[in-house]
């Protein structure tokens, strides 16, 4: 059995910071239940739960849950197959 090499999860800090620092309303998400792809701004958000619950506008399944405490937050995206986040184009490294 070949053991694949891996990196420590700390290396995700930079790439995830780039994604999570953007305006998520500009992101598109795919509903894990019905497959509809649409802007996150199009979710139906219910704010009278212990946190915020975002439901798919097509099938009404939960795509996102966000609970905020004074010192931390929980983000549950298991109802979304993916989030597509616009990012600035990568610039190829300049020759030195
Ligand atoms: Zn759906």
């Amino acid at each position: 059995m070949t053991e694949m090499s891996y990196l420590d999860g700390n290396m995700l800090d930079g790439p995830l910071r780039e994604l999570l620092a953007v305006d998520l309303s500009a992101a598109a998400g795919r509903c894990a239940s019905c497959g509809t792809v649409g802007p996150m701004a199009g979710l139906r958000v219910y704010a009278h739960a212990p946190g915020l619950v975002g439901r798919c506008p097509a099938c009404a399944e939960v795509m996102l849950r966000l609970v905020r405490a004074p010192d931390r937050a929980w983000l549950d995206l298991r109802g979304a197959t993916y989030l597509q986040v616009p990012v600035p184009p990568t610039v190829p490294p300049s020759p030195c």
Side-chain angles (χ1 to χ4, degrees):
M1 180 171 137
T2 305
E3 187 169 322
M4 296 181 63
S5 64
Y6 59 89
L7 300 172
D8 184 278
N10 285 317
M11 72 79 54
L12 293 171
D13 183 53
L16 286 178
R17 185 182 308 236
E18 181 187 26
L19 291 181
L20 298 176
V22 301
D23 178 9
L24 273 184
S25 64
R30 182 180 187 272
C31 175
S33 177
C34 73
T36 296
V37 177
M40 295 303 282
L43 294 184
R44 295 179 182 166
V45 178
Y46 297 85
H48 43 72
L52 300 174
V53 175
R55 292 185 174 271
C56 173
C59 74
E61 283 297 318
V62 174
M63 288 180 64
L64 174 150
R65 294 176 183 89
L66 176 62
V67 176
R68 180 75 162 85
D71 62 343
R72 65 196 69 200
W74 291 263
L75 177 60
D76 178 350
L77 289 169
R78 77 182 101 169
T81 305
Y82 63 76
L83 284 180
Q84 183 183 62
V85 179
V87 294
T90 54
V91 178
S94 61
C96 295

